[in-house]
């Protein structure tokens, strides 16, 4: 890893910390429902209109049922918009209705914060569908994730309890998160992006001459289709052009902002953040990466404040940061080293003043290897799925890093909310293992971790690997699954494994060589996305309710500290051993074999 790569990484983490710290204070106040009076006056008409009593806390089952119903209705709305978009307004390109299987997959994808896209945005979706369907769900799915993190934090923080397992009010949480967190941040980010050159309009698509356009003379035809001739019998000539290009327009900046802030990832254009209209400059690229990590990092600080011990938030953040830095340190050099097969042909892949060097396949020249590799690590660590480089073109080991970051459970910062509650689930497991080792009843933040919590923790951890590995096995066993493979062999297997990993962990990025916009993959991935999202959320809410019903025990001399380097190391080890070992055989069949084949 070269000096410029280290410099970029250090600056990125430093700026992230400076921005996340104050935001963490605001998130903690929101979680604790300590809002200024002017905020309460603004939101109270909304609650009255909806018939919601924000001060009435819900039992975890009621919270979960409200969450599931809310997201199910969202999926139906997005599905209907896609199926009816041909007859709805704001469709200047005349986009046809999406097919039933594609509409189902996309609806589930955006509701679950996955934002997997089996279609090209500029060639399949109208402006109305992009705004009213996809962008709205970018806000609501992100708010759902943060709400679950709030509920779990309240479960840990509850001191005096009547044993009812109350975790907050879902409707109040989603409203406040959207109104006071996601909307203001997204507005600022959208204005910044527009200033950088991200487009924001409702214009019709434009046909323009390209830089390669050449004008030449050709015979002019008359109304009857026959060549026209002048009085001397010579053909009448007219100007013609050799090349034009259609440029898609649309309200991009507004969608791009929440795409990043909400760790959604669904691009307005098929090329996503590699498209100059979505990500035009090096500065916009840097801000996009910051926007992805901003709320996940801030939630760690908020968690420490909510439970009354800032060190707890720092410990969680430290574990995330260590694993992220290791991932970047592995990914950047893998791409900087280039492709040994090309090197064997005598091609110079070393970096110099005249060339970027390394593996530049699938990367934007304006970003280069370092910014592209860092973006790939950020987007897969944070359950975002936005891309500024084609992950299918990464080297085998370089492509394995994003895959592993997802397979860890999207807990290395993770999505908004999902990263924090995913890491806390591993923290519960870590203290349980430590308790067994020292012969004590495990406790975490003053709450005893007993059989009920461990059963729920096991379910939350095992749901995703089962979905990913079973889905991969089905896809490689059936003809309909194998038909989508563009590259046979180890890389083809990696394409399927990556797709199921991305869907099950609600990331949304892809090894683009897999042709996944088929009824088989749309149905399979849609099912995996839904179960991967809510199959984890429900047991997490059950854990929150169980913890909220327990009395918080005072810390004693025998209480295991959960804020120092020892616990951070234990937490990282638990994530690696439990989260990753499930996938080792599959990784050996894909990227590991492909890497070894480069050196045969």
């Amino acid at each position: 890893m070269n000096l410029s790569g280290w410099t970029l990484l250090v600056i990125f983490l430093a700026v992230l910390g400076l921005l996340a710290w104050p935001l963490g204070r605001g998130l903690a106040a929101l979680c604790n429902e300590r809002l200024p009076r002017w905020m309460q006056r603004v939101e109270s008409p909304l609650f009255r209109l909806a018939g919601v009593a924000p001060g009435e806390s819900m039992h975890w089952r009621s919270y979960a049922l409200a969450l599931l119903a809310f997201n199910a209705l969202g999926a139906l709305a997005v599905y209907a918009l896609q199926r009816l978009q041909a007859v709805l307004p704001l469709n200047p390109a005349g986009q046809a209705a999406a097919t039933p299987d594609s509409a189902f997959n996309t609806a589930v994808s955006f509701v679950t914060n996955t934002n997997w896209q089996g279609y090209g945005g500029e060639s399949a979706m109208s402006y109305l569908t992009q705004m009213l369907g996809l962008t709205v769900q970018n806000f609501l799915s992100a708010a759902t994730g943060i709400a679950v993190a709030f509920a779990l934090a309240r479960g840990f923080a509850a001191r005096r309890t009547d044993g009812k397992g109350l975790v907050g009010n879902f409707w109040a949480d989603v409203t406040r998160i959207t109104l006071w967190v996601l909307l203001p941040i997204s507005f600022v980010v959208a204005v910044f992006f527009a200033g950088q050159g991200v487009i924001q309009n409702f214009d019709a698509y434009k046909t323009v001459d390209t830089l390669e356009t050449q004008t030449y003379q050709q015979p002019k035809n008359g109304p009857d289709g026959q060549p026209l001739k002048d009085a001397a019998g010579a053909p009448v000539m007219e100007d013609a052009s050799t090349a034009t290009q259609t440029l898609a327009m649309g309200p991009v900046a507004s969608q791009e902002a929440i795409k990043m802030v909400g760790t959604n990832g669904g691009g307005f254009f098929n090329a996503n953040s590699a498209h100059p209209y979505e990500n035009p400059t090096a500065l916009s690229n840097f801000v996009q990466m910051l926007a992805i990590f901003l709320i996940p990092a801030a939630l760690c600080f908020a968690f420490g404040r909510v439970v009354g011990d800032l060190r707890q938030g720092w410990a969680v953040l430290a574990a995330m940061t260590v694993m992220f830095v290791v991932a970047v340190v592995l990914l950047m050099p893998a791409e900087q080293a280039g492709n040994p097969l090309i090197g064997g042909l005598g091609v110079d892949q070393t970096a110099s003043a005249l060339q970027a060097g390394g593996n530049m396949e699938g990367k934007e020249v304006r970003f280069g290897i370092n910014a592209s590799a860092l973006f790939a690590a950020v987007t897969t660590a944070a359950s975002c799925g936005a891309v500024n480089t084609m992950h299918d073109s990464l080297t085998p080991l370089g492509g394995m890093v994003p895959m592993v970051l997802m397979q860890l459970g999207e807990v290395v910062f993770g999505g908004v909310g999902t990263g924090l509650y995913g890491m806390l689930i591993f923290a519960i497991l870590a203290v349980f293992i430590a308790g067994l080792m020292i012969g004590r009843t495990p406790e975490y933040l003053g709450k005893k971790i007993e059989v009920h919590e461990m059963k729920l923790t096991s379910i939350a951890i095992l749901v995703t690997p089962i979905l990913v590995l079973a889905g991969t096995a089905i896809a490689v066993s059936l003809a309909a699954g194998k038909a989508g493979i563009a590259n046979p062999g180890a890389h083809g297997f990696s394409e399927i494994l990556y797709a199921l990993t991305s869907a099950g962990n609600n990331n949304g990025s892809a090894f683009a060589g897999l042709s996944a916009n088929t009824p088989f993959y749309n149905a399979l991935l849609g099912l995996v996305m839904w179960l991967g999202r809510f199959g984890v959320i429900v047991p997490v809410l059950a854990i929150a309710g169980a913890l909220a019903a327990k009395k918080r025990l005072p810390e004693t001399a025998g209480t295991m500290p959960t804020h120092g380097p020892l616990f951070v190391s234990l937490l990282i080890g638990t994530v690696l051993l439990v989260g990753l070992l499930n996938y080792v055989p599959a990784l050996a069949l894909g990227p590991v074999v492909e890497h070894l084949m480069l050196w045969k």
Side-chain angles (χ1 to χ4, degrees):
M1 189 163 162
N2 56 33
L3 179 60
S4 63
W6 279 112
T7 302
L8 178 61
L9 177 59
V10 170
I11 293 175
F12 172 74
L13 292 176
V15 176
L16 176 66
L18 291 173
L19 295 175
W21 175 258
L23 179 58
R25 296 176 65 94
L27 288 169
L30 205 63
C31 182
N32 290 327
E33 300 178 339
R34 296 173 181 169
L35 278 68
R37 289 186 178 275
W38 70 268
M39 285 187 176
Q40 297 178 33
R41 285 196 293 268
V42 170
E43 66 185 24
S44 60
L46 299 176
F47 290 135
R48 285 199 300 270
L49 182 64
V52 172
E56 294 182 2
S57 190
M58 294 177 168
H59 186 271
W60 76 264
R61 290 192 187 91
S62 299
Y63 199 101
L65 288 173
L67 184 151
L68 291 173
F70 178 69
N71 284 274
L73 289 174
L76 290 174
V78 177
Y79 180 86
L81 276 171
Q82 294 175 84
R83 297 289 291 146
L84 298 173
Q85 71 176 3
V87 296
L88 293 174
L90 289 177
N91 186 10
Q95 308 290 9
T99 61
D101 58 289
S102 178
F104 163 76
N105 181 275
T106 303
V108 171
S109 177
F110 277 79
V111 167
T112 59
N113 201 245
T114 310
N115 303 84
W116 170 276
Q117 294 176 288
Y119 59 89
E122 66 268 51
S123 59
M125 297 296 176
S126 69
Y127 294 169
L128 184 68
T129 302
Q130 295 266 27
M131 292 188 302
L132 189 57
L134 309 187
T135 303
V136 167
Q137 285 305 317
N138 282 350
F139 281 97
L140 300 182
S141 64
T144 297
I146 299 174
V148 176
F150 279 5
L152 185 57
R154 291 180 187 128
F156 279 114
R159 295 180 181 273
R160 296 180 181 178
T161 176
D162 54 7
K164 293 183 178 180
L166 304 179
V167 296
N169 188 300
F170 172 74
W171 306 112
D173 285 343
V174 168
T175 301
R176 287 168 173 163
I177 291 165
T178 303
L179 184 62
W180 302 123
V181 179
L182 298 177
L183 276 172
I185 297 176
S186 297
F187 178 79
V188 173
V189 174
V191 171
F192 171 81
F193 283 161
Q196 288 292 298
V198 178
I199 63 173
Q200 179 75 15
N201 58 54
F202 292 97
D203 297 346
Y205 290 11
K206 300 182 183 299
T207 301
V208 299
D209 293 336
T210 68
L211 294 176
E212 297 177 346
T213 299
Q214 296 179 355
T215 302
Y216 63 95
Q217 294 282 306
Q218 69 176 15
K220 183 178 182 179
N221 293 330
D224 58 356
Q226 299 300 314
L228 295 176
K229 296 183 179 180
D230 58 18
V236 177
M237 307 299 289
E238 65 178 353
D239 291 338
S241 300
T242 57
T244 59
Q245 179 179 356
T246 300
L247 298 179
M249 298 285 107
V252 180
S254 55
Q255 181 171 322
E256 187 71 11
I258 188 58
K259 157 189 164 181
M260 299 303 184
V261 172
T263 62
N264 295 285
F268 193 97
F269 299 106
N270 191 36
N272 208 278
S273 285
H275 198 291
Y277 284 176
E278 282 199 40
N279 192 9
T281 67
L283 182 57
S284 69
N285 189 68
F286 186 79
V287 172
Q288 286 191 13
M289 292 189 289
L290 284 175
I292 294 171
F293 267 10
L294 179 59
I295 294 179
L299 280 170
C300 295
F301 296 130
F303 174 71
R305 293 183 180 279
V306 171
V307 299
D309 187 352
L310 288 174
R311 299 173 299 176
Q312 303 297 333
W314 278 106
V316 172
L317 182 63
M320 293 178 175
T321 303
V322 169
M323 287 187 282
F324 173 70
V325 170
V326 170
V328 175
V329 169
L330 292 174
L331 178 53
M332 277 191 186
E335 297 306 302
Q336 290 164 352
N339 187 332
L341 294 180
I342 296 178
L345 299 175
V347 177
D348 181 13
Q349 298 183 81
T350 58
S352 68
L354 299 178
Q355 63 178 22
N359 176 36
M360 281 297 293
E361 179 188 342
K363 297 180 178 62
E364 282 293 305
V365 176
R366 66 184 189 275
F367 301 140
I369 286 179
N370 290 336
S372 298
L374 181 60
F375 198 109
V378 168
T379 192
T380 48
S383 183
C384 181
V387 294
N388 74 348
T389 184
M390 295 300 103
H391 292 186
D392 198 43
S393 295
L394 297 173
T395 61
L397 291 185
M400 186 173 71
V401 171
M403 198 183 303
V404 167
L405 284 171
M406 292 186 290
Q407 290 169 348
L408 291 176
E410 294 286 16
V411 296
V412 184
F413 289 92
V416 286
T418 62
L420 177 62
Y421 69 66
M423 185 61 87
L424 292 178
I425 292 300
F426 277 109
I428 291 173
L429 180 59
V431 297
F432 178 78
I433 294 171
L436 293 178
M437 294 172 65
I438 62 177
R440 285 180 56 88
T441 301
E443 297 177 17
Y444 187 45
L445 301 178
K447 299 299 179 83
K448 284 187 177 181
I449 307 302
E450 298 176 301
V451 174
H452 180 64
E453 291 78 34
M454 285 313 303
K455 288 180 178 178
L456 294 170
T457 296
S458 300
I459 293 172
I461 290 176
L462 291 175
V463 162
T464 304
I466 291 172
L467 290 171
V468 172
L469 296 175
T472 301
I474 292 172
V476 299
S477 301
L478 300 181
K482 291 183 285 188
I485 299 175
N487 303 283
H491 191 77
F493 178 80
S494 293
E495 290 175 348
I496 293 178
L497 178 62
Y498 193 105
L500 270 299
T501 297
S502 179
N505 290 280
N506 302 128
N507 182 270
S509 64
F511 269 12
L514 182 69
S515 298
N517 192 13
T518 63
F520 171 79
Y521 276 113
N522 282 333
L524 176 63
L525 295 176
L527 180 64
V528 169
M529 285 185 283
W530 187 266
L531 295 178
R533 175 74 161 180
F534 301 108
V536 174
I537 281 179
V538 172
V540 168
L541 289 175
I543 292 172
L547 294 174
K550 294 176 182 283
K551 292 183 179 179
R552 191 169 184 182
L553 304 176
E555 185 175 335
T556 66
T559 302
M560 186 186 76
T562 55
H563 53 73
L566 180 60
F567 180 73
V568 171
S569 301
L570 177 63
L571 180 54
I572 293 173
T574 303
V575 171
L576 294 176
L577 290 175
V578 178
L580 184 59
L581 280 182
N582 296 306
Y583 298 99
V584 168
L587 292 171
L589 294 174
V592 174
V593 168
E594 187 181 1
H595 174 74
L596 296 175
M597 290 174 63
L598 295 179
W599 301 94
K600 64 180 180 178

